[in-house]
Amino acid sequence: QVQLVESGGGMVQPGGSLRLSCAVSGRTFSSYAMGWFRQAPGKGRDFVAAFSFSRDTTSYADSVQGRFTISRNNARNTVYLQMNSLQPEDTAVYYCAYYWGHAYPTPKSASEYDYWGQGTQVTVSS
C-alpha cells in the first residue's frame, strides 16, 4: 500500500508562484513513476507533470511546459511541483499519483495510476 499526502496549495495572484509537495510512504520510493494531475470544477482530471524514476526523466502538459517543474527528494520521499507564472486557468484541485506500471513514456492518463493523494486546492485570482 502507498500513502500520498499533498500540501502547499493556497491562493495566489496571477503571475505568482506556489510549490506543492507530495510525501510518499508505505513502499519503496525510488521505483516506477509519479505524476501530478489537476481537476477544475466540472472538468475531468488532467495530466500536469510526471517523473519517471526508472529513466530519471520528466514530462509536462503543453499548458504548463516552461512554467511548472516536477522534482523529487529521495531522502525525504517527497515529490514537488514548483509552479511559476500562475494564471487563473491553473485554478484547480491538484493531486499527486503513484504509477505502479512499467510503461515508458510515463502515462498521462489518470486511469493508469494506482494510488492517489487527497488533493490540495490551488486558486489563482486577483
Side-chain angles (χ1 to χ4, degrees), residues 2-96:
V2 176
Q3 294 81 42
L4 308 175
V5 178
E6 300 102 335
S7 61
M11 179 176 288
V12 65
Q13 293 185 340
S17 298
L18 283 174
R19 189 178 78 159
L20 305 183
S21 300
C22 176
V24 184
S25 61
R27 290 297 297 238
T28 302
F29 180 70
S30 59
S31 300
Y32 312 110
M34 288 191 65
W36 285 96
F37 289 77
R38 65 187 182 186
Q39 188 165 16
K43 296 187 177 181
R45 195 166 293 190
D46 295 330
F47 172 79
V48 174
F51 198 121
S52 168
F53 298 154
S54 61
R55 304 293 184 100
D56 199 24
T57 60
T58 58
S59 56
Y60 297 92
D62 290 343
S63 59
V64 307
Q65 181 78 46
R67 300 189 298 125
F68 291 11
T69 303
I70 186 171
S71 62
R72 64 172 176 167
N73 184 319
N74 284 349
R76 296 186 177 182
N77 274 11
T78 301
V79 172
Y80 303 99
L81 185 68
Q82 177 67 43
M83 305 185 296
N84 299 329
S85 301
L86 284 162
Q87 299 301 319
E89 53 265 35
D90 295 315
T91 295
V93 177
Y94 282 71
Y95 298 89
C96 66

